[in-house]
């Protein structure tokens, strides 16, 4: 029986094996992470064109949308048809000892700071407007403001009584409406406050009858009406000794107009409720 000579395999006859390094860069094929330079160039070019197109579409869409907006007046204003009411001092719980200036001093200082913009030196720069008529300025580029001097608040102006009635236990509270662009309330809006108890609480209103005059409407927005200040109604609570040491809940509403004041979903729409407790 003849046999073939068996010779050991040389190094050149051994099969070539790939290492983990070849998965990063393969010197035989020139591939980097599984792709050739041409393949990498094509895929990068595709993503560059694809994301460039998306960026261009987004930019064009934003530009078209911005052309429909007005810098001075919101496009949609139908969701806020009536203003809310807020009070100053900015607290819904007014509690103090009328014999201790340190306790009511924070309320007095807050009112004084707030009324600085209603000082004569500031308001005399504004216009004397026609009482009982809207001050419409649609055709004017620069909107003017009607005067509202703090002396209209009389006993609650802080001029004759620097403690706004807090030292005598008859505190003043300022009521104002939130600003709504273009609002022109119909009728004759005024503030009416009531205490939630069996017997009525005596109050005084300044200006007379707590009315918001039409000349302070409409409001044209922060950009066009930069120096605008809202009209105010001051309510002086004429508390007696029998009222001291008891918590009183007072609700103020805007009446006499088409403005809403009884929406159960928004307790500040056309009304505001606060509590007062004076001790001695």
């Amino acid at each position: 029986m003849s046999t073939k000579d068996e010779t050991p395999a040389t190094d050149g006859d051994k099969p070539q094996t790939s290492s983990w390094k070849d998965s990063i860069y393969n010197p035989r094929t020139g591939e980097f992470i599984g792709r050739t330079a041409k393949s990498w160039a094509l895929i990068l070019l595709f993503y560059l064109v694809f994301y460039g197109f998306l960026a261009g579409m987004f930019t064009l869409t934003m530009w078209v949308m911005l052309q429909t907006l007005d810098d001075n007046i919101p496009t949609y204003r139908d969701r806020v048809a009536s203003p809310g009411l807020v009070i100053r001092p900015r607290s819904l719980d007014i509690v103090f000892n009328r014999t201790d200036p340190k306790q009511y001093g924070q309320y007095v200082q807050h009112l004084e700071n707030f009324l600085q913009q209603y000082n004569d030196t500031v308001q005399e720069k504004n216009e004397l407007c026609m009482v009982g008529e809207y001050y419409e300025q649609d055709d004017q580029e620069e909107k003017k403001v009607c005067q509202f001097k703090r002396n209209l608040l009389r006993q609650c102006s802080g001029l004759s009584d620097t403690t706004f009635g807090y030292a005598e236990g008859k505190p003043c509270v300022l009521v104002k409406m939130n600003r709504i662009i273009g609002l022109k309330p119909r009728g004759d809006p005024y503030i009416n406050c009531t205490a939630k108890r069996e017997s009525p609480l005596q109050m005084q209103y300044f200006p007379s009858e707590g009315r918001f005059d039409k000349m302070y409407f409409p409001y044209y927005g922060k950009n066009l009406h930069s120096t605008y200040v809202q009209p105010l109604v001051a309510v002086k609570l004429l508390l007696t000794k029998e009222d001291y040491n008891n918590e009183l809940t007072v609700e103020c509403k805007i009446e006499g107009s088409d403005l809403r004041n009884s929406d159960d979903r928004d307790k500040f729409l056309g009304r505001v409720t606060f509590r007062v407790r004076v001790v001695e």
Side-chain angles (χ1 to χ4, degrees), residues 22-48:
D22 291 341
S23 63
I24 299 176
Y25 176 70
N26 192 328
R28 295 185 302 277
T29 60
E31 294 179 345
F32 177 72
I33 314 181
R35 292 184 181 274
T36 62
K38 181 179 179 181
S39 177
W40 277 114
L42 289 175
I43 196 170
L44 290 176
L45 178 62
F46 168 78
Y47 280 113
L48 180 64

Side-chain angles (χ1 to χ4, degrees), residues 49-270:
V49 174
F50 177 69
Y51 286 112
F53 173 77
L54 290 181
M57 283 293 295
F58 175 77
T59 303
L60 178 62
T61 303
M62 291 297 295
W63 180 83
V64 172
M65 184 191 70
L66 290 174
Q67 302 312 302
T68 66
L69 302 180
D70 191 319
D71 293 336
N72 301 315
I73 301 176
T75 304
Y76 301 104
R77 294 175 289 153
D78 55 338
R79 295 191 63 182
V80 186
S82 294
L85 291 185
V86 293
I87 65 169
R88 295 293 183 269
R90 189 175 295 175
S91 175
L92 297 180
D93 289 283
I94 302 175
V95 181
F96 64 94
N97 188 323
R98 73 184 188 92
T99 62
D100 187 355
K102 292 182 180 179
Q103 290 195 20
Y104 61 75
Q106 58 177 327
Y107 303 123
V108 171
Q109 189 60 50
H110 186 104
L111 290 172
E112 181 61 34
N113 293 340
F114 175 72
L115 288 174
Q116 289 300 304
Q117 58 189 329
Y118 294 90
N119 284 338
D120 288 2
T121 54
V122 177
Q123 290 299 312
E124 285 175 356
K125 300 176 184 178
N126 297 330
E127 299 293 307
L128 284 172
C129 302
M130 186 69 67
V131 175
E133 295 185 6
Y134 296 122
Y135 190 31
E136 299 185 87
Q137 308 173 70
D138 296 336
D139 56 344
Q140 299 181 22
E141 182 176 351
E142 182 179 355
K143 312 302 181 185
K144 298 179 181 179
V145 180
C146 295
Q147 290 186 12
F148 189 100
K149 295 182 178 181
R150 63 187 292 180
N151 58 29
L152 292 174
L153 304 178
R154 298 172 59 191
Q155 298 179 35
C156 290
S157 66
L159 299 176
S160 58
D161 178 7
T162 57
T163 69
F164 296 90
Y166 284 78
E168 60 176 337
K170 298 179 181 180
C172 290
V173 175
L174 306 182
V175 183
K176 67 185 184 76
M177 289 192 294
N178 291 331
R179 303 178 184 183
I180 295 183
I181 296 177
L183 177 68
K184 294 191 293 184
R186 298 178 182 176
D188 193 8
Y190 65 93
I191 294 296
N192 181 48
C193 299
T194 56
K196 295 184 178 181
R197 66 178 190 181
E198 294 183 0
S199 58
L201 176 64
Q202 295 297 315
M203 307 179 194
Q204 288 181 313
Y205 298 91
F206 311 104
S208 177
E209 300 178 350
R211 300 192 180 278
F212 291 115
D213 197 278
K214 290 181 179 179
M215 66 180 172
Y216 300 106
F217 304 95
Y219 168 60
Y220 287 93
K222 185 176 181 180
N223 291 340
L224 298 177
H225 236 159
S226 58
T227 59
Y228 177 85
V229 292
Q230 295 108 308
L232 305 173
V233 169
V235 183
K236 188 177 181 65
L237 307 178
L238 303 179
L239 304 180
T240 63
K241 289 187 177 182
E242 288 74 20
D243 298 318
Y244 296 161
N245 304 311
N246 295 316
E247 183 177 88
L248 298 175
T249 300
V250 180
E251 182 182 59
C252 295
K253 289 186 175 183
I254 187 164
E255 306 278 5
S257 71
D258 60 338
L259 302 178
R260 296 165 59 189
N261 62 9
S262 59
D263 192 333
D264 293 334
R265 296 172 298 178
D266 188 346
K267 62 181 180 180
F268 293 103
L269 189 64

Side-chain angles (χ1 to χ4, degrees), residues 5-9:
D5 295 336
E6 294 180 359
T7 58

Side-chain angles (χ1 to χ4, degrees), residues 6-21:
E6 294 180 359
T7 58
T10 62
D11 293 341
D13 296 330
K14 291 181 179 180
Q16 295 182 355
T17 59
S18 60
S19 66
W20 64 270
K21 295 181 181 180

